[in-house]
Amino acid sequence: MTTTAPARPAPGSRRPGRIAAASMIGTALEQFDFYLYAYFAAFFVGPLFFDPLGPAGSTLASFSTIAVSFVIRPVGAILFGHMGDRLGRRATLLWTVSIMGVATGLIGLLPTYAQAGWLGAIGLVVLRLAQGMSLGGEWGGSVLLATEHAHPVRRAFAAAIPQLGSPIGSILSAALFLVLPTLLTEQAMADWGWRVPFLIAFPLLLISLYLRRTVEETPEFARLSREKRRERMPVSELLRSRPLALVLAIGAAQLGIGSYALMNTYTMNYGAAVLGFPYTELLTAATIGALLQLVTVPLFGALAARTSSWLVVAIGAAGTALIALPMYALLGSATFGVLVAMMVIGGILPTMSWAALGGLMADMFPGRFRASALSVAYAVAATVSGFVPLLTGALGGLTGQAWWHPALVLIALSVVTLAAAIGAGRMGRLEA
């Protein structure tokens, strides 16, 4: 009887830098899509695809296409979370990033209402559903790829690395929408220039696939496979054995995800349509804030590794609740400098909760259904956050666009995350 030696991992497949890049690239593409579509929805979707609905109706329809991709995320989370716990983290991430990249690129090929009537709008909704499905499993798998390759002492820091995808995606998408109008006329942007950022998803997808194919499966999943300890129905086991932990994980994610939807989608539209800011100033301010996060996310991850993830999430939530009202009070009369300061200060504290979120969640669940747990928790939280622009807009209408209406939403998100983080910390102490 002969045996075959196990295949050696590809050269460099266990290098920390390559693992970090592979975990981060998918979330960067995810956030590139999110911010790209957020800016696109705020300024272009309504006139291009929903023009017959009028200004107010087309704006609501464009924000609804944001919500559509969030609604389907829990379905994708169950599917890809199951695959992550049964087939492996790496293999699942190859599927999620492929679906996401192809769907994003195809949006750039859609016909507008003027070209094909409602056909383009239907295609847009279908592609947003495909994006939402893939995104349901992308974030959780990326965090696990980073943390399950890391030393236990450094897992909280490793969990922060995929979170860098958020500022990277924001910077790339905003830079495109800042640069293109300087190169193209307004008519050219409306005719074809808006397609360019979406088509860039195709080369980004090729880079993502290359990086992920060169990284081997995580040691923890390999051990579970060897010991035949993989769950047959991981989501069912999650709901049976850790329902409270799942609720706390969903709550802890509200600020980290919801604040981006509020500030980078709703506030962009509100600032341009109601307060009269040029959208280039809004995008520039958001980009400056995102550049700062390239530094603060790793720092907050290192802080979480030295203290605890739940504490960093809680501090970020408490601080955000305290600054929300003063920040939006200044917005109505802000100069460009104040606008930048708002994006910087308003971004630092929610970033604390965002940077430590992956570490908090990874600590709460055992490896045998951790992919399902992180994917479902993040997807449900993202689904709620997908309605933040719509709900904030409705609140603005009810209050006559009172300056404080976005601040109330930000405070609500902060309070939920603060309570959930404290609950997660208490649960961890009880289990220790």
Side-chain angles (χ1 to χ4, degrees):
M1 177 179 178
T2 60
T3 59
T4 302
R8 294 178 179 273
S13 64
R14 294 296 301 274
R15 292 176 185 170
R18 179 162 293 185
I19 293 168
S23 66
M24 182 180 63
I25 190 69
T27 56
L29 183 54
E30 171 189 2
Q31 297 300 324
F32 175 76
D33 159 64
F34 176 84
Y35 289 120
L36 177 65
Y37 196 81
Y39 300 142
F40 180 54
F43 302 110
F44 293 100
V45 166
L48 289 174
F49 291 95
F50 301 102
D51 186 59
L53 300 180
S58 62
T59 297
L60 285 175
S62 66
F63 283 150
S64 296
T65 59
I66 294 176
V68 159
S69 72
F70 286 95
V71 170
I72 200 68
R73 276 195 183 195
V75 178
I78 293 171
L79 171 63
F80 293 114
H82 180 92
M83 290 174 61
D85 286 321
R86 292 292 302 167
L87 304 179
R89 318 323 192 190
R90 174 182 172 274
T92 303
L93 285 175
L94 292 173
W95 276 101
T96 58
V97 78
S98 296
I99 295 171
M100 176 170 52
V102 170
T104 301
L106 288 178
I107 289 177
L109 300 176
L110 288 174
T112 64
Y113 182 85
Q115 294 169 329
W118 291 108
L119 182 63
I122 293 170
L124 183 64
V125 171
V126 170
L127 292 175
R128 291 295 291 167
L129 288 171
Q131 288 174 322
M133 284 285 291
S134 67
L135 295 178
E138 171 62 37
W139 182 85
S142 296
V143 169
L144 294 189
L145 191 69
T147 58
E148 291 183 355
H149 273 290
H151 188 280
V153 174
R154 293 179 57 82
R155 281 192 171 183
F157 176 75
I161 299 304
Q163 309 298 66
L164 283 170
S166 178
I168 290 172
S170 175
I171 292 165
L172 287 176
S173 54
L176 284 168
F177 271 114
L178 284 170
V179 171
L180 283 175
T182 67
L183 302 176
L184 303 174
T185 64
E186 185 175 340
Q187 187 61 46
M189 276 294 296
D191 288 343
W192 59 270
W194 63 270
R195 300 179 185 275
V196 174
F198 292 98
L199 296 175
I200 288 175
F202 288 129
L204 290 178
L205 170 60
L206 296 177
I207 296 171
S208 301
L209 289 173
Y210 169 75
L211 287 172
R212 287 187 170 176
R213 285 180 63 85
T214 58
V215 174
E216 66 178 335
E217 184 55 80
T218 71
E220 185 154 358
F221 181 80
R223 177 179 57 80
L224 290 169
S225 297
R226 287 195 306 270
E227 297 173 358
K228 301 186 185 303
R229 294 177 55 209
R230 290 173 294 172
E231 292 287 344
R232 289 181 60 84
M233 299 296 293
V235 174
S236 298
E237 181 60 21
L238 164 65
L239 296 175
R240 186 192 68 80
S241 63
R242 292 294 179 100
L244 178 58
L246 179 61
V247 172
L248 291 175
I250 293 169
Q254 289 304 313
L255 177 63
I257 306 172
S259 63
Y260 290 118
L262 177 67
M263 298 187 70
N264 288 71
T265 302
Y266 179 78
T267 302
M268 286 288 176
N269 184 266
Y270 172 73
V274 177
L275 301 181
F277 284 103
Y279 91 92
T280 53
E281 289 191 2
L282 293 165
L283 288 178
T284 302
T287 303
I288 292 171
L291 285 168
L292 181 64
Q293 290 176 35
L294 297 178
V295 177
T296 56
V297 167
L299 288 178
F300 292 141
L303 178 62
R306 292 180 63 87
T307 56
S308 62
S309 296
W310 77 265
L311 181 61
V312 175
V313 172
I315 292 172
T320 302
L322 291 175
I323 66 154
L325 282 169
M327 184 173 66
Y328 276 97
L330 291 172
L331 182 60
S333 58
T335 62
F336 177 65
V338 173
L339 184 64
V340 171
M342 173 191 165
M343 287 296 185
V344 169
I345 297 170
I348 287 176
L349 289 165
T351 297
M352 290 187 73
S353 296
W354 174 247
L357 178 62
L360 179 148
M361 286 193 186
D363 289 344
M364 295 176 72
F365 304 99
R368 66 185 191 276
F369 54 76
R370 189 177 289 142
S372 294
L374 267 65
S375 295
V376 171
Y378 186 85
V380 173
T383 298
V384 175
S385 298
F387 288 92
V388 164
L390 277 171
L391 294 174
T392 310
L395 181 60
L398 291 173
T399 61
Q401 302 298 336
W403 65 266
W404 42 262
H405 76 274
L408 291 187
V409 176
L410 188 57
I411 290 170
L413 294 170
S414 302
V415 170
V416 170
T417 292
L418 176 61
I422 293 172
R426 291 191 62 184
M427 177 177 289
R429 290 195 296 271
L430 290 174
E431 292 178 353

